[in-house]
Amino acid sequence: MSIKTVRFDEGRDNGANAPSAGGVRLHAFVIAGTHSGVGKTTVTLGLLAALRKRGLAVQPFKVGPNFIDPGHHTTVTGVPSRNLDGWMLSQEYNQDTFRHNIQRHDVGVIEGVMGLFDGYDGKSEAGSTAEMAKWLGLPVILVVDASAMARRTAALIHGFQSFDPNLNVTGVIFNRIGGPGHLQYLCGALEGRPDIVVLGGLSHTADITIPERHLGLVTPEEHRLGAENIGRLATFIEDKVDLDRLLRTTQFTQPPTPVSPSSTANRERRRDKRVRFGIARDEVFCFYYPENLELLERAGAALVFFSPLHDVHLPPDLQGIHLGGGYPAVHAAQLSSNVTMRQEIKAFIEDGKTVCAECGGFMYLTRGTRTTQGKYFPMVDIYPTVVRMLSRRSALGYTEVEIAATEMDFPPLRLRGHEFHYSESEQDIARDTIKTIYQVRQRPTDPPRSEGYVYKRCLASYAHLHFGSNPEFVERLVSGT
């Protein structure tokens, strides 16, 4: 289904662009950074909290293959945050996701990824925040780490504004300023630049900092932003950012015609009886794209959530299981001590039932996990290897997966996803008893790497796949149960 790109200036409040009959006036903008670590997530969470405090219905989005930041978005707004990704997903899919989910909301807030122009590689804008802002036709609010900066901020912002004339960098929020006097210097550097709006300046405040670990922020399952924290975030942004001006400069008109999800994501398999599909979800297994779970449902699955960490037994009458990613090594002792759950999952797999496991889920299905201190914890023992945790990152980046084999009833398919982990397998498990059905590449010119380990009807991999890149994958997964 073809979607017209919504230009933000269609809704500028100048009289000439009043909403058409039945149109709805909305606000939407992209929060981008000059580089990673400038405070995009803190600014985004604060804006979400402040806008919600005003009584506005806010729909959050996150650019890129990130699970943790969207979880915090959801905690603040009470609305599932949606991932947008220009490399894993098509332009149409992203536009449909935005248009469908912005309905019945007042404001759309899109948190960017890395620096504004950073993406899949250094030669193109694929996967970047800039690409997504242009696809959606939305203005960019640039977060600038202004610590130890004064007039050179003008040169920096000028570079970001002029680099791509098709991109609208319309506002700036200065982060980590030294105080009101410092903010005056920064605003003075931009005098005579009516094309850039200074929306505010934020000083460092430890009270609103979210803890981090090696894979990014601590997950919402482990560090829940309570009402008091969210209130502090809202007050902080209200005091430091001109929200009225932000809303005035980010208006657009939503067409009156309802927009449904992309036809590529909306094919629903008709079944007389739905398949009971267990979804592992707790502090360990928490990395899921909402669209992946929805696509499972559209393929005929009835989702049944359970916790390998806390539950003693599997839910009854499951026909399939999905073990998502997360932090099994952080909770290795508790996972290992839940012997009954480990035994039931192993028996489920040995009985020929369908299981799909990604990253942390794959680690859980191995013989065991060895921590960086060398301590060993037994796991489910389906795959004949031990996963060793590392002090360095072993994989980071987008991956394209090609399924060429016919194991588990899959036809040849191509999907996209990403890898991000600090562990490695101690043994090569692609032997006689363990088949591989994935050919994985990070770049088209890379030699393919065999992955996607199949044992009976259990498929496990380090790759986090976005099912929206090829919904047929999940349809075949559910139909094979």
Side-chain angles (χ1 to χ4, degrees), residues 426-445:
E426 291 186 350
Q427 291 85 30
D428 179 8
I429 61 175
R431 296 176 180 171
D432 293 341
T433 57
I434 303 297
K435 299 177 181 178
T436 59
I437 64 169
Y438 288 177
Q439 292 292 296
V440 181
R441 290 181 176 88
Q442 285 196 318
R443 297 284 184 270
T445 56

Side-chain angles (χ1 to χ4, degrees), residues 94-398:
N94 283 287
Q95 289 174 332
D96 286 357
T97 296
F98 174 75
R99 292 282 299 276
H100 177 67
N101 287 285
I102 197 68
Q103 293 182 81
R104 299 181 298 280
H105 292 88
D106 303 308
V107 187
V109 180
I110 298 93
E111 180 185 350
V113 60
M114 299 185 290
L116 174 58
F117 298 105
D118 299 324
Y120 176 65
D121 56 31
K123 297 184 293 184
S124 74
E125 64 181 7
S128 70
T129 304
E131 175 188 60
M132 192 57 60
K134 290 194 295 183
W135 280 3
L136 302 180
L138 298 180
V140 173
I141 308 300
L142 190 67
V143 178
V144 176
D145 182 348
S147 55
M149 294 179 70
R151 189 166 185 255
R152 63 189 167 104
T153 56
L156 178 72
I157 293 167
H158 172 72
F160 275 84
Q161 274 196 310
S162 61
F163 182 75
D164 184 345
N166 295 316
L167 185 68
N168 191 354
V169 180
T170 188
V172 61
I173 295 174
F174 292 115
N175 196 20
R176 301 177 186 133
I177 64 171
H182 187 197
L183 181 59
Q184 278 189 326
Y185 290 143
L186 298 169
C187 291
L190 292 170
E191 281 185 5
R193 295 290 305 274
D195 53 336
I196 189 73
V197 177
V198 178
L199 294 166
L202 312 176
S203 55
H204 177 72
T205 305
D207 287 349
I208 63 170
T209 301
I210 301 172
E212 297 189 39
R213 64 159 60 95
H214 57 271
L215 292 181
L217 298 178
V218 172
T219 66
E221 288 76 12
E222 296 177 288
H223 180 82
R224 178 65 59 178
L225 285 169
E228 185 177 344
N229 304 100
I230 294 171
R232 279 200 298 267
L233 275 168
T235 300
F236 178 66
I237 292 295
E238 282 178 324
D239 290 345
K240 306 296 183 182
V241 175
D242 189 339
L243 293 176
D244 290 328
R245 197 171 189 185
L246 171 66
L247 292 173
R248 282 198 306 272
T249 58
T250 59
Q251 294 178 342
F252 73 93
T253 301
Q254 171 81 349
T257 305
V259 180
S260 60
S262 169
S263 57
T264 59
N266 198 34
R267 293 177 293 183
E268 184 164 356
R269 187 180 184 86
R270 301 296 177 185
R271 286 178 170 271
D272 295 332
K273 187 176 181 181
R274 301 184 76 81
V275 173
R276 282 176 59 83
F277 223 94
I279 308 295
R281 191 153 208 173
D282 52 28
E283 300 93 314
V284 177
F285 306 101
C286 51
F287 292 172
Y288 296 98
Y289 296 119
E291 291 79 12
N292 279 11
L293 299 183
E294 291 166 1
L295 285 166
L296 276 167
E297 290 183 306
R298 289 174 191 151
L303 306 188
V304 183
F305 294 93
F306 72 101
S307 168
L309 193 65
H310 302 295
D311 296 340
V312 178
H313 300 287
L314 283 173
D317 303 321
L318 293 183
Q319 296 159 277
I321 291 176
H322 186 20
L323 295 161
Y327 293 115
V330 174
H331 303 274
Q334 190 176 348
L335 274 177
S336 184
S337 66
N338 194 347
V339 177
T340 302
M341 177 60 75
R342 290 196 286 119
Q343 290 175 339
E344 290 191 7
I345 290 178
K346 183 170 185 176
F348 188 90
I349 295 169
E350 294 288 2
D351 196 35
K353 302 286 183 62
T354 298
V355 174
C356 180
E358 294 186 338
C359 200
F362 161 63
M363 295 167 65
Y364 180 55
L365 296 183
T366 63
R367 187 167 291 154
T369 295
R370 198 182 315 280
T371 68
T372 52
Q373 294 78 33
K375 193 166 184 179
Y376 174 75
F377 295 98
M379 294 296 166
V380 175
D381 193 19
I382 289 296
Y383 295 103
T385 187
V386 172
V387 169
R388 174 174 55 231
M389 297 304 300
L390 306 172
S391 57
R392 67 185 187 283
R393 187 174 58 222
S394 58
L396 169 64
Y398 285 120

